[in-house]
Amino acid sequence: MATKGVNAFAMAQAQFDKVAAVLDLDEPTRELLRWPMREYSFAIPVKMDDGTTKVFRGFRVQHNDARGPAKGGNRFHPHETIDTVRALATWMTWKCAVVDIPLGGGKGGVICDPHNLSLREQEGICRGWVRQLARNVGPLQDVPAPDVMTNAQHMLWMLDEYEAIHGGHYPGFITGKPVGMGGSLGRKEATGFGVIYTVREALKRLNIDPKTTTASVQGFGNVAQFAIRLYQSLGGTVTCCSSWDHADQASYSFRKKDGIDIEELTGITDRFGGIDKAKAKELGYEVLPGDAWIEQPVDILIPAALENQVRGDNVEKIHAKVRMIAEGANGPTTPEADEVIQKRGIYLIPDFLANAGGVTCSYFEQVQSNTNFFWPKDEVLTKLDNAMTVAYEAVADLAEKRKLYMRDAAYVISINRVAQACRDRGWV
Ligand code: NAD
């Protein structure tokens, strides 16, 4: 999704180049890691409900699989682009490496708008996507998952098609499956909770009691909702969140200064994470322009909607009170905005660390699926908390020791791990 003219892949490469220079990486390793190893772009013809046939464009990018099979979500979005998918696949490589799970980086997408598609048509897209790639993805090659505007049902259709083609049960082919059909308990909470596990540890390090803090969140989808739930259970107050309004083709922020009520708001939110404006007003929320979430006088900002949301043109709107930014979304901050955040000394928990809870739990799902033995929810969440805490501590320690910006410290750890795997395999 190209938003506001910033190319996400150029951004991913710029972040990589900055750290590759610090690490003094050799040229072949740089060349290998700044581009995806494999890319697929293909047509998906689907018979529509009105009898016509529509051809959708699908993508899958496998950035690097030196540490294990590629792993990453499949998104449905009308503005999906190959460059966004490349960027997200690249970030997946770093994400799996920073939490030290034995997986590489992949990402996929289809240019489509599920708002305007029946479930039967969406099933056609899912099955068509798998038919095009059935030999290039799989438990030992590349493992997809849900992402923006895709969910457990889409994953199950994809799995069913894959199993029909290969003639067997391959539950480790895909993650984010429904619980009871190979899904893991805790997966729906995993990304949002993971963000807050890192926030909790960061607050501890900064000697701040979560109960005294306030936060503003961009988005109100899967990541945002579970992040808000766990943050509130630590005693924090969320004063503002935002969402995309499909009818108006615009975003809005929803503010309640004494704290939003998560149950109340989820009750008036559609399955795409869009909050009903009229009902929110009736419940006493101020409905503000889309960008208002960034200007709030809070301690913590959690962008949890899309990439390219904190940019040169709005970064100065971040209130002087803000002490921490935890990136729930992938690539929410452009390099231009990143410089300002670094200069202002705002404590940043970078995306591929903060939101790594999702892929970590997907990895747990794969392990459970492959062994056909499923763990109780508290066991999944305890393992997740441990993995996120260990990863956060390693990044924060390195940042302190080497006086690095948190994003750069996370990159140093990830790039080193992936480069080492490439060297150990004799690729470079
Ligand atoms: P989602 O589709 O469930 O929710 C997205 C939310 O963002 C919705 O509330 C939507 O209304 C809102 N939104 C969209 N455009 C907006 C805009 N311009 N302004 C304000 N709000 C807007 O998606 P999600 O799964 O919660 O993912 C959110 C982000 O987190 C994405 O960047 C995704 O790639 C990333 N992520 C998700 C997971 C996961 O497990 N779901 C894991 C890692 C990273």
Side-chain angles (χ1 to χ4, degrees):
M1 284 166 271
T3 12
K4 307 237 173 179
V6 184
N7 181 312
F9 187 49
M11 201 167 117
Q13 287 189 317
Q15 291 169 348
F16 170 77
D17 290 342
K18 183 177 169 199
V19 178
V22 174
L23 287 173
D24 205 16
L25 267 195
D26 61 85
E27 203 45 49
T29 308
R30 275 189 212 204
E31 195 50 34
L32 185 66
L33 297 183
R34 71 193 301 279
W35 281 94
M37 296 188 72
R38 272 169 245 108
E39 300 183 352
Y40 304 92
S41 168
F42 47 92
I44 308 173
V46 174
K47 294 260 181 299
M48 306 299 280
D49 291 348
D50 64 5
T52 60
T53 299
K54 212 170 155 194
V55 181
F56 295 90
R57 180 119 305 254
F59 306 109
R60 186 74 186 171
V61 172
Q62 294 161 355
H63 172 259
N64 187 285
D65 54 9
R67 287 172 46 88
K71 182 89 194 76
N74 271 344
R75 326 212 298 179
F76 283 180
H77 199 280
H79 304 138
E80 195 66 274
T81 69
I82 183 69
D83 270 348
T84 308
V85 181
R86 284 173 173 153
L88 292 161
T90 309
W91 285 321
M92 283 307 296
T93 302
W94 312 137
K95 195 181 298 190
C96 293
V98 84
V99 276
D100 210 7
I101 53 179
L103 295 168
K107 204 76 175 192
V110 178
I111 304 175
C112 69
D113 190 348
H115 289 97
N116 308 327
L117 296 165
S118 70
L119 285 178
R120 200 200 61 78
E121 290 165 342
Q122 293 181 45
E123 179 179 348
I125 294 178
C126 289
R127 291 185 185 278
W129 190 95
V130 171
R131 277 202 297 279
Q132 294 295 345
L133 281 181
R135 274 151 208 86
N136 311 104
V137 293
L140 305 178
Q141 290 159 284
D142 181 1
V143 183
D147 207 295
V148 173
M149 290 205 266
T150 56
N151 58 35
Q153 175 63 76
H154 298 101
M155 298 307 108
L156 199 54
W157 286 326
M158 288 184 169
L159 176 68
D160 187 65
E161 190 68 23
Y162 186 87
E163 293 184 336
I165 291 169
H166 289 282
H169 280 283
Y170 296 91
F173 156 58
I174 208 158
T175 61
K177 302 181 291 295
V179 171
M181 290 297 291
S184 175
L185 291 167
R187 177 61 187 87
K188 70 177 193 309
E189 292 88 350
T191 309
F193 276 20
V195 172
I196 302 304
Y197 294 144
T198 64
V199 167
R200 180 196 64 204
E201 294 307 309
L203 288 173
K204 226 183 265 173
R205 206 171 261 255
L206 301 176
N207 248 326
I208 301 170
D209 179 356
K211 293 190 184 67
T212 65
T213 64
T214 52
S216 175
V217 180
Q218 187 192 33
F220 199 65
N222 171 266
V223 178
Q225 288 184 22
F226 283 102
I228 292 170
R229 277 180 196 279
L230 189 63
Y231 173 69
Q232 289 184 332
S233 78
L234 298 180
T237 306
V238 175
T239 58
C240 188
C241 62
S242 74
S243 78
W244 181 253
D245 188 292
H246 181 64
D248 291 4
Q249 288 292 298
S251 58
Y252 294 98
S253 298
F254 299 83
R255 182 168 71 181
K256 216 176 218 181
K257 284 187 176 154
D258 53 357
I260 65 161
D261 180 328
I262 183 82
E263 301 303 342
E264 188 176 83
L265 273 188
T266 49
I268 57 165
T269 299
D270 66 23
R271 68 199 157 96
F272 301 108
I275 301 171
D276 186 315
K277 288 198 305 291
K279 289 186 183 148
K281 272 187 195 149
E282 280 167 25
L283 290 169
Y285 288 83
E286 292 173 78
V287 179
L288 306 168
D291 240 12
W293 73 277
I294 207 173
E295 310 168 355
Q296 300 306 308
V298 290
D299 302 289
I300 306 168
L301 289 180
I302 305 179
L306 287 179
E307 63 280 351
N308 294 338
Q309 298 302 305
V310 185
R311 301 173 303 269
D313 63 289
N314 64 5
V315 66
E316 301 294 351
K317 292 185 184 168
I318 294 178
H319 198 276
K321 188 171 190 290
V322 171
R323 287 186 276 183
M324 186 182 291
I325 299 177
E327 295 180 328
N330 289 312
T333 309
T334 66
E336 203 183 349
D338 217 21
E339 261 179 46
V340 177
I341 292 168
Q342 188 174 0
K343 263 195 210 115
R344 280 178 55 176
I346 298 173
Y347 194 87
L348 179 99
I349 310 176
D351 51 1
F352 65 93
L353 170 64
N355 69 32
V359 75
T360 305
C361 195
S362 287
Y363 164 61
F364 295 158
E365 177 177 336
Q366 234 193 325
V367 172
Q368 294 170 82
S369 285
N370 289 336
T371 55
N372 211 4
F373 179 72
F374 290 82
W375 313 333
K377 187 169 174 179
D378 56 349
E379 188 178 338
V380 175
L381 292 176
T382 304
K383 285 186 161 75
L384 181 67
D385 192 348
N386 288 341
M388 293 300 294
T389 302
V390 167
Y392 166 80
E393 293 298 338
V395 173
D397 284 349
L398 184 71
E400 271 177 32
K401 198 168 112 206
R402 302 248 310 256
K403 305 225 172 330
L404 290 172
Y405 186 42
M406 281 286 282
R407 191 186 310 284
D408 297 342
Y411 264 112
V412 165
I413 290 176
S414 294
I415 294 173
N416 266 332
R417 284 182 181 155
V418 178
Q420 191 59 46
C422 293
R423 281 194 289 271
D424 289 349
R425 283 177 179 276
W427 290 356
V428 282

